[in-house]
């Protein structure tokens, strides 16, 4: 019988320790999480923005390499009218075209969802290839900066 009393006491102690958190404890945790989000959030967003700029630079390099390969095989760069689509679809009159010249067989949009700008002849070389950044207008800083093939 003594053993049963001990078991009941143990169960009541265990049950008593299963109570939930108080409202104050929950509020303290929420305040701490809010402070952490306020401090860490902007830092994370800064890295996301710079990674989009780096992605655009890499895509411009890949597209430029595809344009150079196109020129080696066809004998010229695509015209303004043919544009970057000539890297994945054979343009009329391109007899030595052996494309597609892009792995994914699709001309990518820049990381902000806009089309890359292509100009031939270029003002800075045989062609100009660029993205106008997040705002899709010339100039800007940070994520709005232009990403250029000639820099």
């Amino acid at each position: 019988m003594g053993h049963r009393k001990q078991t009941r006491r143990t169960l009541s102690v265990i049950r008593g320790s299963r109570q939930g958190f108080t409202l104050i404890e929950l509020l303290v945790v929420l305040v701490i999480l809010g402070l952490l989000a306020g401090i860490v959030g902007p830092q994370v967003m800064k890295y996301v923005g710079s990674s989009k700029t780096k992605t655009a630079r890499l895509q411009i390099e890949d597209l430029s390499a595809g344009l150079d390969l196109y020129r080696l095989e066809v004998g010229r760069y695509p015209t303004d009218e043919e544009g970057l689509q000539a890297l994945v679809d054979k343009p009329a009159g391109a007899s030595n075209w052996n494309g597609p010249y892009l792995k994914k067989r699709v001309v990518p949009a820049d990381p902000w969802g806009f089309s890359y700008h292509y100009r031939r002849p270029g003002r800075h070389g045989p062609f100009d290839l660029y993205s106008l950044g997040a705002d899709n207008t010339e100039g800007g800083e940070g994520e709005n900066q232009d990403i250029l093939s000639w820099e």
Side-chain angles (χ1 to χ4, degrees):
M1 187 86 167
H3 180 48
R4 279 190 176 167
K5 280 186 176 182
Q6 183 66 27
T7 304
R8 285 184 190 162
R9 274 193 219 141
T10 304
L11 286 176
S12 67
V13 169
I14 291 172
R15 284 186 192 143
S17 66
R18 285 189 174 178
Q19 292 178 357
F21 295 107
T22 66
L23 183 58
I24 297 293
E25 290 170 331
L26 290 175
L27 287 174
V28 168
V29 169
L30 288 175
V31 167
I32 291 170
L33 289 174
L35 288 172
L36 285 174
I39 294 169
V40 174
Q43 297 299 321
V44 170
M45 294 312 292
K46 182 174 72 172
Y47 287 113
V48 169
S50 69
S51 70
K52 284 186 176 185
T53 301
K54 289 176 185 175
T55 299
R57 288 188 201 287
L58 290 172
Q59 285 179 331
I60 285 176
E61 287 178 19
D62 287 345
L63 290 168
S64 296
L67 288 165
D68 289 337
L69 186 56
Y70 178 97
R71 185 189 59 82
L72 284 172
E73 293 187 353
V74 177
R76 62 174 175 79
Y77 287 106
T79 64
D80 281 344
E81 294 77 30
E82 294 168 342
L84 296 175
Q85 196 60 37
L87 298 175
V88 293
D89 294 325
K90 181 179 180 180
S95 57
N96 292 333
W97 191 89
N98 291 316
Y101 298 99
L102 300 177
K103 284 183 182 181
K104 294 187 178 180
R105 299 175 185 235
V106 173
V107 178
D110 71 12
W112 300 278
F114 302 110
S115 296
Y116 282 101
H117 299 270
Y118 172 74
R119 180 174 47 217
R120 186 193 151 263
R123 295 180 188 152
H124 305 278
F127 64 86
D128 291 346
L129 182 60
Y130 57 97
S131 166
L132 295 176
D135 63 355
N136 203 32
T137 57
E138 287 190 25
E141 293 183 14
E143 262 195 82
N144 295 331
Q145 70 179 313
D146 301 344
I147 295 95
L148 314 168
S149 63
W150 57 90
E151 286 185 350

